[in-house]
Amino acid sequence: MSVLIKGGRVVTASDDYVADVFVDGERVSLIGESLELDADRVIDARGKYLLPGCVDPHTHLDMPFGGTTTIDDVESGQTAAAFGGTTCHVDFCIQGKGQTFADALAIWHEKAAGKQLIDMGYHIAVTDLSGEGALEELARLPDQGVTSYKLFMAYKGALMVDDETLFRTMEVAAKTGALVMVHAENGDAIDVLVKQALAAGHTEPRWHALTRPPETEGEATNRAIQLARVAGSPLYVVHVSCKESVEPIAAARAKGWEVWGETCTQYFFIDDTFLERPNFEGAKYVYTPPPRDKANQDVLWDAVRTGVLSAISTDHCAFSWDGQKSLGRDDFSKIPNGGPGLENRLQMIHHFGVREGRITLNRMVELLATSPARLFGLYPRKGTLAVGSDADIVVFDPEKRVTISAANHHSRIDYNLYEGTEVVGSPEVVLLRGHVLLEGGELVASPGIGQYVARAKFGQELTGTGRAVPA
Ligand SMILES: [Zn+2]
């Protein structure tokens, strides 16, 4: 199968030019002007952008949490991703207490079997190192393509680890070439604040934010940065939501430390007043860290523009409002934490970031594709549009008008964080390794086409011998 894409505006993290792109099999084989080649399929992309398929480094599909399971499984979640121009994601495989990493990974691979529409990898979420040989097993995972270790510094009594577990994992990562990822919030302090709020009779969704003040995120971010420095491991702070967390990341990076951070789409658009919406509507915005005050939105735009933060993920962790969020109708601490977003990241960041002049088109590609691919061992097979890369290509119509709504999205969730938002610019055709996934507003591929990707170790290229992450 070969595809010739004619006359599109090729946009990568560094380049922007009009060209034809020829795909032979699953890889991009030629990019040039006015290519005259026979192809099984010709796509006219004049007036469109050709973007590398986006990479989402932070999703939770089919994940048990808070007494229920996220409503999107691999098939529905990846369908939503494909419609949003995302062709590869890295999901979290969560180690159960007392479980080996091998057993956890087997369960997660089973969840994906036969359902994959896009490519994916796994981060391992370390919750328990007390088992016999756990540290040794953890050290072997990067050789199997699982090259990032995630730790939760919050969710006391559930996923949270103590500092010993965090630090020991960092020490392993320093030796094995894994990237340590942290959910940075002080879970002990938050647990006290939640108990006090409930004891005082505060049960509404807005108390989710009031019991997780920005300082608890800032403290944990700084603690993780300092401990990673001692252990000698690289660190990636997930879902940075506020100034208190941006500042220690900026300080560490200014010193040249191996620290990176991401934020998520929702933190640019949803503020803490959304949690006050009546009739339990506020529960739709209960995710962690919580929506912050509006001033933090400018802090985050500045951070992604200036390189303090390196990626924008979705943290897609979808729980329906009716039936799942409602578990916490009488107690905000029982509302499953998480929000959707896998489908709308590119549309939202293109419209409000690029069109409204906050970031450049190149920087958008870097934040949504190139930088996550580099950090998570997928580059240059993923995250760029170049000869030799996987032909994961988004033909993006920069003028297409879309009204975002739960009525037309592809996730199974019953609400959308950006309900009613009008955006200009949306994917028109999406290719995964040369196969057309999406066109004419329809999914045209079948589950099973997506693959598991064994990722390269931190700093290394997935193919070739170069260094993926700039020194
Ligand atoms: Zn998450």
Side-chain angles (χ1 to χ4, degrees):
M1 173 83 179
S2 58
V3 182
L4 179 61
I5 309 173
K6 298 283 289 180
R9 183 172 155 192
V10 176
V11 183
T12 67
S14 53
D15 298 309
D16 187 341
Y17 57 94
V18 173
D20 298 344
V21 175
F22 184 67
V23 175
D24 191 12
E26 300 203 320
R27 307 249 168 129
V28 174
S29 66
L30 196 60
I31 300 177
E33 283 188 328
S34 308
L35 298 181
E36 297 298 334
L37 294 162
D38 286 331
D40 299 319
R41 175 78 201 271
V42 177
I43 295 172
D44 179 359
R46 284 172 299 176
K48 311 285 161 59
Y49 300 160
L50 299 183
L51 311 175
C54 294
V55 176
D56 193 335
H58 189 157
T59 60
H60 302 276
L61 302 181
D62 207 348
M63 181 186 76
F65 186 64
T68 182
T69 300
T70 55
I71 196 155
D72 279 319
D73 68 359
V74 170
E75 185 173 336
S76 67
Q78 293 191 348
T79 300
F83 275 92
T86 292
T87 51
C88 185
H89 69 124
V90 191
D91 204 74
F92 290 93
C93 167
I94 316 276
Q95 176 205 20
K97 297 276 184 206
Q99 197 172 44
T100 66
F101 299 115
D103 285 348
L105 283 161
I107 290 168
W108 251 260
H109 279 293
E110 183 58 33
K111 290 174 194 277
K115 292 184 172 182
Q116 287 179 245
L117 278 154
I118 64 172
D119 289 351
M120 72 187 302
Y122 293 113
H123 311 289
I124 192 79
V126 177
T127 64
D128 183 4
L129 287 178
S130 65
E132 177 87 24
L135 283 168
E136 293 75 12
E137 194 196 3
L138 186 63
R140 289 192 298 271
L141 293 181
D143 289 327
Q144 301 162 29
V146 177
T147 56
S148 37
Y149 305 150
K150 160 83 177 281
L151 299 117
F152 291 88
M153 300 168 78
Y155 300 132
K156 190 171 184 181
L159 300 171
M160 179 172 147
V161 296
D162 57 16
D163 285 349
E164 179 180 348
T165 303
L166 172 63
F167 187 68
R168 284 190 184 280
T169 302
M170 288 171 164
E171 287 191 327
V172 173
K175 290 196 197 97
T176 61
L179 177 59
V180 174
M181 311 168 75
V182 286
H183 170 139
E185 285 186 306
N186 187 312
D188 283 313
I190 288 166
D191 189 58
V192 171
L193 293 171
V194 168
K195 284 178 177 152
Q196 288 170 346
L198 290 172
H202 302 307
T203 60
E204 309 86 359
R206 69 193 180 98
W207 286 90
H208 174 67
L210 294 171
T211 54
R212 312 182 92 91
E215 291 82 356
T216 58
E217 184 182 335
E219 182 280 326
T221 300
N222 184 55
R223 181 165 25 118
I225 289 170
Q226 303 300 334
L227 293 178
R229 180 70 180 171
V230 176
S233 71
L235 180 73
Y236 180 92
V237 183
V238 302
H239 52 44
V240 171
S241 73
C242 58
K243 184 168 177 275
E244 286 75 2
S245 181
V246 166
E247 284 176 344
I249 292 170
R253 290 175 64 75
K255 285 182 275 198
W257 294 9
E258 287 202 306
V259 173
W260 290 266
E262 69 168 24
T263 188
C264 314
T265 322
Q266 54 270 28
Y267 296 108
F268 296 112
F269 304 104
I270 311 291
D271 65 65
D272 51 4
T273 63
F274 283 62
L275 289 163
E276 295 166 12
R277 293 188 171 179
N279 303 319
F280 200 60
E281 288 275 322
K284 294 175 178 177
Y285 310 98
V286 171
Y287 45 75
T288 306
R292 303 299 190 185
D293 68 26
K294 226 170 166 36
N296 276 299
Q297 296 176 1
D298 289 334
V299 171
L300 295 174
W301 282 117
D302 282 344
V304 294
R305 185 174 48 77
T306 59
V308 169
L309 295 180
S310 305
I312 301 171
S313 72
T314 66
D315 195 5
H316 183 88
C317 186
F319 297 105
S320 275
W321 183 67
D322 186 8
Q324 294 189 296
K325 292 288 188 183
S326 50
L327 293 168
R329 194 169 266 282
D330 303 317
D331 175 351
F332 72 91
S333 73
K334 295 198 166 64
I335 300 170
N337 283 202
L342 197 40
E343 185 162 349
N344 304 118
R345 177 177 60 146
L346 174 58
Q347 292 169 329
M348 291 294 284
I349 300 302
H350 170 259
H351 185 98
F352 295 98
V354 178
R355 282 184 68 95
E356 296 197 346
R358 294 182 173 96
I359 55 172
T360 65
L361 197 50
N362 297 113
R363 182 62 180 156
M364 178 190 82
V365 171
E366 191 165 33
L367 289 162
L368 304 189
T370 317
S371 174
R374 284 182 186 278
L375 287 163
F376 293 103
L378 294 160
Y379 185 86
R381 262 189 60 196
K382 308 291 187 188
T384 192
L385 212 171
V387 171
S389 291
D390 282 359
D392 298 351
I393 301 171
V394 178
V395 181
F396 185 87
D397 181 350
E399 298 302 329
K400 185 175 180 179
R401 291 179 176 274
V402 175
T403 302
I404 294 174
S405 173
N408 59 24
H409 73 193
H410 298 85
S411 164
R412 286 183 187 148
I413 197 171
D414 61 357
Y415 71 96
N416 190 300
L417 291 176
Y418 316 112
E419 185 67 33
T421 302
E422 292 185 32
V423 292
V424 178
S426 198
E428 185 176 271
V429 179
V430 176
L431 275 72
L432 174 74
R433 284 179 280 101
H435 307 281
V436 177
L437 279 186
L438 185 80
E439 64 181 332
E442 300 287 333
L443 189 71
V444 294
S446 302
I449 197 166
Q451 293 177 355
Y452 170 73
V453 185
R455 295 179 292 121
K457 291 182 182 179
F458 177 73
Q460 316 241 307
E461 288 189 348
L462 184 55
T463 53
T465 53
R467 184 174 161 84
V469 180

